Amino acid sequence: DAKTTQPPSMDCAEGRAANLPCNHSTISGNEYVYWYRQIHSQGPQYIIHGLKNNETNEMASLIITEDRKSSTLILPHATLRDTAVYYCIAQRLGSNTGKLIFGQGTTLQVKP
Amino acid sequence: DGGITQSPKYLFRKEGQNVTLSCEQNLNHDAMYWYRQDPGQGLRLIYYSQIVNDFQKGDIAEGYSVSREKKESFPLTVTSAQKNPTAFYLCASRKGFREDSPLHFGNGTRLTVT
């Protein structure tokens, strides 16, 4: 499975868009990009995922570059409750794909 | 409501004792996972199971053991051979390895060994 690289930390002003980048330059054609976030001392929570196309749901938008080597998670109007660690992982379908590896993630601090 | 239940939330043990962490899911998911998290660190994979009666080692399996006798249960035993057992342990599940499905996590068990 592809390795992902994220900046260790980012700040964002409350009410502004938070753009969290993820590099996955070795991603293969059948690997999805998944985003999760972890609020302190809780289990991670699924946010969004995509394969090739940009995706949007009620929580966030996901922009995947055309070559699929990187992606950006966008929280359109960040609130203080969005302060968390955000993880980007590459997840493949099919046999022998159970090993899902998380990196260090990006700590997003939303400031008033 | 469907979900993953990890118990207990906090667990304290003396060094040299084995301890078993519980993980139960009622989501009818095939695949289950155990991760370990140390302060300020990401998640590291201990063991995973894609189907009942089968499981594979993750990156840090030494000193741990698991069983998968039932689809809904995936207990983790931290043995006395685990050199640094104090950590936050997270259990997760997903529908199946052939499906485009996200991981669902429990709220973790914080183990302290003294």
Side-chain angles (χ1 to χ4, degrees):
Chain A
D1 294 318
K3 183 180 175 181
T4 60
T5 306
Q6 300 175 255
S9 63
M10 293 182 64
D11 289 343
C12 178
E14 189 178 17
R16 306 297 288 263
N19 296 287
L20 291 90
C22 179
N23 182 290
H24 31 79
S25 57
T26 62
I27 198 167
S28 60
N30 62 351
E31 283 185 297
Y32 286 75
V33 178
Y34 273 76
W35 283 83
Y36 297 84
R37 75 177 182 186
Q38 185 178 26
I39 296 169
H40 184 63
S41 295
Q42 296 181 20
Q45 172 193 24
Y46 164 74
I47 302 172
I48 198 168
H49 74 283
L51 183 63
K52 290 191 280 194
N53 300 322
N54 298 338
E55 302 288 344
T56 295
N57 63 20
E58 65 278 3
M59 289 180 71
S61 294
L62 174 60
I63 309 296
I64 302 174
T65 58
E66 196 168 336
D67 62 9
R68 301 208 330 118
K69 292 185 186 299
S70 66
S71 60
T72 301
L73 177 75
I74 301 172
L75 307 177
H77 306 286
T79 71
L80 298 178
R81 290 183 195 172
D82 292 321
T83 292
V85 179
Y86 288 77
Y87 296 99
C88 158
I89 73 169
Q91 184 171 320
R92 184 161 49 100
L93 300 186
S95 61
N96 199 29
T97 61
K99 194 173 180 181
L100 300 179
I101 305 299
F102 284 73
Q104 303 270 31
T106 296
T107 299
L108 175 68
Q109 183 74 44
V110 180
K111 299 189 173 180
Chain B
D1 284 341
I4 297 184
T5 302
Q6 290 188 245
S7 61
K9 191 173 174 68
Y10 298 95
L11 193 52
F12 299 88
R13 280 292 183 272
K14 295 287 188 188
E15 197 173 321
Q17 293 179 333
N18 290 357
V19 59
T20 297
L21 281 59
S22 168
C23 177
E24 303 278 329
Q25 53 99 358
N26 60 3
L27 299 164
N28 199 32
H29 285 176
D30 288 313
M32 297 187 74
Y33 304 79
W34 274 106
Y35 290 91
R36 169 186 173 135
Q37 188 172 38
D38 294 286
Q41 303 294 313
L43 283 66
R44 291 189 289 167
L45 183 64
I46 305 173
Y47 268 98
Y48 63 100
S49 167
Q50 299 186 121
I51 198 167
V52 174
N53 292 323
D54 187 46
F55 48 82
Q56 285 79 40
K57 293 181 180 180
D59 294 326
I60 56 165
E62 187 174 347
Y64 299 98
S65 66
V66 292
S67 63
R68 187 85 189 278
E69 296 176 3
K70 298 187 295 182
K71 187 175 185 177
E72 57 270 23
S73 178
F74 192 40
L76 173 75
T77 297
V78 184
T79 76
S80 56
Q82 167 50 232
K83 292 184 171 49
N84 297 298
T86 294
F88 186 48
Y89 290 88
L90 285 158
C91 180
S93 71
R94 68 177 175 124
K95 199 170 181 184
F97 60 87
R98 289 196 179 88
E99 302 191 44
D100 172 17
S101 62
L103 285 168
H104 294 252
F105 282 87
N107 276 327
T109 292
R110 195 168 295 280
L111 174 65
T112 302
V113 177
T114 56

